[in-house]
């Protein structure tokens, strides 16, 4: 559509553009052009600046209020750069300086071609982005369902291990299966967090460790050994694999502290801390128990020690044990 109050120029524009392959509708002013644009879709609109009652900028402002505004090419005089800039800021896709002769229609047709190409590319880009968003939504829903099923399966395995442990008479075998059940539960907690949160790729460690500590407290604390577990954690998000490694590390360190730091059965306090540092995070598990000799290896089963080493290696770090006056502090430092 070509909007101009000059009857002669409208006719010339229509003929000139039709010779160049365009089908042209003309409007004698801004109000008429806006009505036509609201009633039918147009691929592109050219708007002259100087028109009575409603100039080009006012027309452009009303066109911008349409549900689907087509691209607009603004037509100005030769010395009106300021107006052209105002039109571009108001939403025009391009501008053409009005002149007399076929050169003007050549410039106008060339501008139309460029604007239509950009508009087509923008529509295709928007369509591709929408397709990608829909695909990502489907993949996230599928991944959430996978995590849900994995969590349920791990919960079932954990329950089987617990039933098997309760059926055994050998205390050492029962203890080994109890440890295995806690390790499985630590991994299952990660997958529960993934399917219950909006983010299926990372885990809020404060939330995750809070649930893990509560589960460990329920299974490791009893009347004969009343352990108290405390958590101080910042809301740090970690990828799934790192969250699993840290969950296993915390489970092993807390279990070891309950077994070896307070061996007399009196119980005691175990503190788990996870804080952000300049280049990553620091996780520590600390107790006030019997401690360990300087340079001595930490107590534990061979499997637990190997698990701790493997999980620390997956985080590209090591576990440091620091004997205190009372108890031991085990620390892990790694990048986020």
């Amino acid at each position: 559509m070509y909007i101009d109050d000059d009857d002669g120029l409208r006719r010339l524009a229509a003929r000139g553009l039709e010779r160049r392959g365009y089908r042209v509708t003309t409007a004698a002013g801004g109000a008429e052009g806006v009505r036509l644009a609201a009633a039918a879709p147009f691929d592109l609109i050219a708007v002259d600046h100087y028109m009575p009652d409603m100039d080009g900028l006012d027309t452009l402002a009303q066109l911008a209020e349409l549900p689907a505004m087509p691209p607009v090419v603004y037509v100005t005089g030769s010395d009106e750069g300021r107006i052209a800039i105002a039109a571009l800021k108001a939403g025009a896709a391009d501008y053409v300086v009005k002149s007399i002769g076929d050169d003007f229609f050549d410039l106008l047709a060339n501008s139309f071609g460029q604007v239509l190409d950009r508009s087509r590319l923008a529509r295709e880009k928007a369509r591709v982005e929408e397709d990608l968003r829909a695909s990502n939504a489907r993949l996230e829903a599928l991944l959430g369902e996978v995590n849900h099923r994995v969590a349920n399966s791990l919960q079932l395995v954990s329950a089987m291990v617990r039933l098997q442990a309760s059926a055994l008479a050998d205390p050492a075998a029962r203890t080994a299966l109890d440890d295995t059940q806690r390790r499985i539960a630590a991994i299952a907690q990660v997958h529960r967090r993934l399917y219950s949160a909006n983010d299926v790729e990372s885990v809020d460690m404060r939330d995750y460790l809070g649930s893990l500590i509560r589960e460990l407290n329920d299974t490791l604390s009893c009347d004969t050994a009343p352990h108290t577990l405390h958590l101080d954690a910042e809301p740090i998000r970690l990828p799934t694999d790192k969250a699993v490694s840290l969950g296993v590390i915390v489970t092993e360190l807390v279990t070891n502290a309950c077994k070896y730091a307070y061996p007399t059965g009196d119980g005691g306090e175990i503190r788990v801390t996870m804080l952000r540092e300049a280049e990553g995070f620091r996780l520590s598990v600390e107790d006030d128990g019997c401690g360990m000799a300087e340079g001595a290896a930490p107590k534990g089963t061979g499997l637990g020690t190997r698990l701790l080493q493997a999980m620390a290696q997956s985080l590209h770090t090591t576990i440091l044990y620091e004997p205190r006056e009372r108890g031991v502090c085990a620390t892990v430092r790694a990048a986020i």
Side-chain angles (χ1 to χ4, degrees), residues 209 232-234 236 246 272-286 324 329-336:
L209 290 178
D232 179 15
E234 294 182 348
I236 301 170
L246 279 180
V272 179
T273 304
M274 185 171 181
L275 302 176
R276 191 182 300 273
E277 292 190 330
E279 297 184 2
F281 65 86
R282 173 175 57 84
L283 172 77
S284 62
V285 178
E286 184 178 8
R324 303 280 178 87
C329 179
T331 301
V332 175
R333 283 185 167 89
I336 293 177

Side-chain angles (χ1 to χ4, degrees), residues 2-10 12-13 46-52 56 73-81 84 94-108 111:
Y2 191 91
I3 304 174
D4 197 314
D5 64 312
D6 187 316
D7 291 338
L9 188 56
R10 283 202 312 277
L12 285 173
V47 180
D48 186 44
H49 175 66
Y50 287 109
M51 294 183 293
V73 173
Y74 207 77
V75 180
T76 68
S78 60
D79 58 348
E80 294 169 339
D94 200 359
Y95 74 93
V96 175
V97 177
K98 186 188 297 184
S99 61
I100 299 174
D102 280 349
D103 287 348
F104 168 60
F105 299 117
D106 287 336
L107 289 172
L108 198 59
S111 174

Side-chain angles (χ1 to χ4, degrees), residues 239-282:
T240 308
D241 56 344
K242 291 186 176 182
V244 168
S245 297
L246 279 180
V248 173
I249 287 174
V250 168
T251 299
E252 293 298 316
L253 291 176
V254 169
T255 301
N256 287 346
C258 291
K259 287 181 180 179
Y260 305 115
Y262 305 106
T264 60
D266 295 335
E269 183 176 272
I270 301 167
R271 296 175 294 280
V272 179
T273 304
M274 185 171 181
L275 302 176
R276 191 182 300 273
E277 292 190 330
E279 297 184 2
F281 65 86
R282 173 175 57 84

